Amino acid sequence: MKKLLILTTLILTVLVSCKKTADTEPVEIAPNAPKEVQIEEPAGDQCYALRANGNVIELSFNVNSHQEVNGKLNYSISGKDKNEGTLIGNMKGDTLIADYTFTSEGVSSVREVAFLQKDGALIEGFGDVIQANDKVTFKDKTKLKFDQKNILTKTDCKVE
């Protein structure tokens, strides 16, 4: 009787395990089509300004899908000559690095500028510079310092 009970249990175990294997078919997972990357371009100009202690800095620019930037930058610093010019550069992550071509006292000059985007504002960057080929550039962009007292806040763009 004991042998019959063991044999019956063994046969039932084999049948149950075989049945589970037969019923369990691999589940097919249909791959989803890859989503297209959506590149959002700002609608129109982005404008920022700093107005404090008689100083005014105004910046307006566009960024295209290749992260290329073009725009205008004007400095009116108390006690210094006014600088007005154009900006051409690139967004590198959250940092705008551009050549600022401006006129001051009738002389045209080019210097590199940097602005860090943070919390909906732009913070101007400073660092050691060198002059080469009639252009002033940052010596080492990785060592730029972004001065919290020069924060340009988002403003409405002027219609020209």
Side-chain angles (χ1 to χ4, degrees):
M1 178 87 166
K2 217 175 190 181
K3 288 182 183 179
L4 184 60
L5 184 60
I6 293 174
L7 186 60
T8 306
T9 306
L10 186 59
I11 292 173
L12 285 174
T13 305
V14 171
L15 288 175
V16 169
S17 62
C18 287
K19 182 152 178 82
K20 282 186 181 176
T21 305
D23 285 346
T24 310
E25 292 182 21
V27 178
E28 286 188 38
I29 300 173
N32 294 330
K35 293 182 180 178
E36 286 189 32
V37 176
Q38 292 182 351
I39 298 171
E40 294 183 26
E41 291 189 44
D45 285 340
Q46 295 183 51
C47 297
Y48 294 84
L50 166 70
R51 292 178 178 85
N53 304 324
N55 300 325
V56 177
I57 301 173
E58 295 175 317
L59 170 62
S60 64
F61 63 91
N62 271 314
V63 181
N64 69 19
S65 61
H66 300 289
Q67 299 302 299
E68 297 167 333
V69 175
N70 65 48
K72 295 181 181 180
L73 178 59
N74 300 322
Y75 288 92
S76 183
I77 305 299
S78 181
K80 295 188 178 182
D81 293 323
K82 185 175 184 177
N83 297 336
E84 294 181 337
T86 59
L87 197 70
I88 298 174
N90 292 292
M91 289 299 299
K92 296 181 188 296
D94 58 0
T95 306
L96 166 62
I97 303 288
D99 287 342
Y100 173 48
T101 304
F102 63 98
T103 303
S104 179
E105 293 185 351
V107 177
S108 183
S109 303
V110 179
R111 77 175 170 92
E112 198 169 41
V113 294
F115 291 92
L116 174 68
Q117 280 189 322
K118 185 174 180 185
D119 300 326
L122 292 176
I123 305 168
E124 188 169 10
F126 298 94
D128 292 336
V129 294
I130 56 174
Q131 182 161 352
N133 301 326
D134 296 325
K135 178 178 166 182
V136 176
T137 60
F138 293 113
K139 195 178 218 178
D140 185 352
K141 292 177 192 64
T142 63
K143 294 183 180 178
L144 292 176
K145 293 185 182 0
F146 294 90
D147 191 353
Q148 293 292 325
K149 66 182 178 181
N150 286 331
I151 298 176
L152 285 70
T153 56
K154 198 161 185 80
T155 62
D156 291 333
C157 294
K158 296 176 186 176
V159 178
E160 295 182 20

